[in-house]
Amino acid sequence: VQLQASGGGLVQAGDSLRLSCAASVDILSLDALAWYRQAPGKDREFVALITNGGRTKYVDSVQGRFTLSGDNAKSTVYLQMNNLKPEDTAVYYCNAARKTGEHYSVYWGQGTQVTVSS
């Protein structure tokens, strides 16, 4: 499974961005797709997740501002980010998990930089 993340950029506080994560396989074949982010000097942290059943989960700091959606025909998951804050500045990575037997295989895409100026 290959994941291609895109859509990052430099924006001002309050602006919006939409990140895309394109998968090389049918996203319905994946158990979940998620976004993580890593700010300079910090550990990578979970941001949001969507399951192949459409359930979503968000970290508290982005709840109400970020929204996940998927386009099955394009094998792409989107992270709509509204009302961006300087603390959202980070490299954003998409991640996929697929259960194989009793184990999960985890895949990572390359990062896309999001910079929010105050």
Side-chain angles (χ1 to χ4, degrees), residues 64-114:
R65 299 188 298 122
F66 290 12
T67 304
L68 278 166
S69 64
D71 185 332
N72 298 337
K74 295 182 178 180
S75 292
T76 300
V77 168
Y78 302 100
L79 181 66
Q80 177 67 42
M81 306 187 296
N82 297 330
N83 189 23
L84 282 160
K85 302 176 180 181
E87 51 264 43
D88 295 318
T89 294
V91 178
Y92 283 70
Y93 298 90
C94 62
N95 160 288
R98 182 161 62 185
K99 191 173 184 181
T100 305
E102 296 183 356
H103 304 282
Y104 279 96
S105 296
V106 178
Y107 308 90
W108 290 94
Q110 91 294 356
T112 185
Q113 177 72 48
V114 172

Side-chain angles (χ1 to χ4, degrees), residues 9-93:
L10 171 63
V11 297
Q12 293 185 333
D15 285 350
S16 299
L17 276 176
R18 188 178 76 162
L19 303 184
S20 300
C21 177
S24 62
V25 300
D26 182 351
I27 58 175
L28 293 178
S29 72
L30 301 169
D31 289 89
L33 275 154
W35 287 94
Y36 287 72
R37 65 187 179 187
Q38 187 165 19
K42 295 188 177 181
D43 292 335
R44 190 172 297 188
E45 67 167 352
F46 167 80
V47 176
L49 172 147
I50 185 167
T51 70
N52 59 7
R55 290 186 293 116
T56 56
K57 180 180 175 65
Y58 302 91
V59 68
D60 288 347
S61 60
V62 308
Q63 186 75 44
R65 299 188 298 122
F66 290 12
T67 304
L68 278 166
S69 64
D71 185 332
N72 298 337
K74 295 182 178 180
S75 292
T76 300
V77 168
Y78 302 100
L79 181 66
Q80 177 67 42
M81 306 187 296
N82 297 330
N83 189 23
L84 282 160
K85 302 176 180 181
E87 51 264 43
D88 295 318
T89 294
V91 178
Y92 283 70
Y93 298 90

